[in-house]
Amino acid sequence: MPRTAFFISDGTGITAETLGRSLLAQFENVEIRMVTKPYIDSPDKARSLVAVIEAAAVRDGEQPIVIDTIVDNEIRSIISTAPGFKVDIFSTFLAPLEEELATHSTYTVGRTHSIGHDGVYMNRIDSVHFALDNDDGARTHQYDKADVILVGVSRCGKTPTSLYLALQFGIRAANYPLTEDDQDEDGTLKLPRCLAPHRHKLFGLTIDPRRLAAIRSERRPNSRYCSIDQCTQEVQQAEALYRQMHIPHIDTTRFSIEEISTRMIAETGLQRRFSPR
């Protein structure tokens, strides 16, 4: 039977879930059912959740894993009565930090993911709007305002990477698809004219043609667009262009969006406007 892990918070639950998933990902041989419980911000909600945890313990025949970022002492005390292996993130780390910094924590709910007063939230929104407005080569006249311009064949991961860079780091990312319209008469892929003035901002994405064909098949099955020959040709031409124009690039085949983004930032030295939340 799988073990159940609860990620509990009196806020969004993002911190508890992110850290919990990172820790549990190290145990590949254990089947774990993950449950996120945000906004446990009252004693009544806490007591109801204790009953849910108790039911999971009976069902699984094993004590659940309980990872929480509860700030309120009363709510934390109620949660502590539930059966389970407890990982109390705030109590584990805040007390030593209080000692080191010689001051007390504010113990404020929702500080990590709140809007705040430093403009970070609006910067995030502006960056996401920029990514959406400049998706898929939509507005090439705004490239002078871009921090980076992702290029690559259709469906290689440009759009989700652009949005992740905007949401997590405040990076203004545009993206441009390399298509047959950018080929010379002899069929050679050339650098599009709209990108030439911004070569220093370009970053290429590539992908294994078989993986690309599988992705495209979900969108347009049994079409030339998703054929392995077409995918192979497009990827080879894109990679040749990267080499010719000295465009830094990364193979997205086996990387998550998070890995693609952080590797790209590390390689290019892009400045984050804020740290991920």
Side-chain angles (χ1 to χ4, degrees):
M1 294 291 292
R3 298 282 293 272
T4 301
F6 288 91
F7 308 132
I8 306 170
S9 174
D10 39 18
T12 63
I14 295 173
T15 301
E17 180 175 357
T18 300
L19 181 57
R21 287 183 178 273
S22 296
L23 293 171
L24 295 174
Q26 306 303 314
F27 302 92
E28 298 179 354
N29 297 325
V30 180
E31 184 180 355
I32 299 176
R33 180 189 299 111
M34 301 183 189
V35 180
T36 302
K37 293 291 184 179
Y39 300 111
I40 305 301
D41 51 10
S42 72
D44 286 343
K45 290 181 181 179
R47 281 187 280 269
S48 297
L49 180 55
V50 167
V52 173
I53 296 172
E54 290 173 343
V58 172
R59 181 192 63 232
D60 296 348
E62 296 278 2
Q63 65 175 352
I65 298 163
V66 178
I67 299 176
D68 79 82
T69 54
I70 299 292
V71 172
D72 185 272
N73 285 327
E74 181 181 5
I75 296 174
R76 186 191 295 133
S77 178
I78 295 171
I79 296 296
S80 69
T81 65
F85 177 80
K86 312 293 196 314
V87 181
D88 186 335
I89 295 172
F90 279 171
S91 68
T92 299
F93 296 108
L94 280 183
L97 278 172
E98 286 177 332
E99 183 177 350
E100 175 64 25
L101 298 174
T103 187
H104 290 291
S105 164
T106 58
Y107 289 89
T108 303
V109 176
R111 292 283 293 181
T112 306
H113 302 285
S114 63
I115 291 178
H117 304 286
D118 57 2
V120 169
Y121 182 79
M122 292 310 300
N123 196 316
R124 176 183 286 113
I125 295 301
D126 289 343
S127 298
V128 170
H129 283 167
F130 184 89
L132 292 172
D133 287 344
N134 292 275
D135 182 45
D136 217 23
R139 297 187 180 182
T140 59
H141 65 279
Q142 293 187 353
Y143 284 176
D144 60 317
K145 299 180 178 65
D147 297 317
V148 65
I149 304 169
L150 302 181
V151 294
V153 301
S154 173
R155 310 301 287 182
C156 69
K158 299 184 302 300
T159 296
T161 302
S162 297
L163 288 171
Y164 185 85
L165 288 168
L167 186 62
Q168 292 295 316
F169 304 110
I171 292 173
R172 291 179 172 84
N175 73 79
Y176 185 94
L178 300 174
T179 68
E180 293 179 343
D181 293 337
D182 300 312
Q183 294 179 355
D184 282 326
E185 293 181 358
D186 63 357
T188 302
L189 187 66
K190 61 181 180 181
L191 186 69
R193 183 176 300 177
C194 64
L195 297 181
H198 310 287
R199 279 182 55 181
H200 62 291
K201 297 182 179 181
L202 301 184
F203 193 91
L205 302 184
T206 187
I207 189 172
D208 182 87
R210 291 165 296 184
R211 174 62 178 155
L212 181 62
I215 295 172
R216 289 182 173 184
S217 292
E218 296 178 1
R219 189 178 187 186
R220 299 182 195 169
N222 303 316
S223 65
R224 174 174 173 267
Y225 173 74
C226 70
S227 71
I228 188 63
D229 289 342
Q230 178 68 20
C231 292
T232 300
Q233 180 184 17
E234 289 185 33
V235 169
Q236 288 178 346
Q237 289 189 333
E239 291 179 351
L241 178 67
Y242 300 156
R243 292 190 295 269
Q244 177 189 356
M245 306 303 295
H246 304 290
I247 298 172
H249 56 280
I250 188 172
D251 188 333
T252 66
T253 307
R254 295 177 179 83
F255 291 140
S256 65
I257 295 170
E258 295 86 348
E259 290 174 306
I260 295 167
S261 300
T262 52
R263 285 173 180 269
M264 189 189 73
I265 290 172
E267 184 169 338
T268 62
L270 273 172
Q271 293 298 309
R272 312 179 187 197
R273 287 191 171 84
F274 48 76
S275 299
R277 308 297 288 256

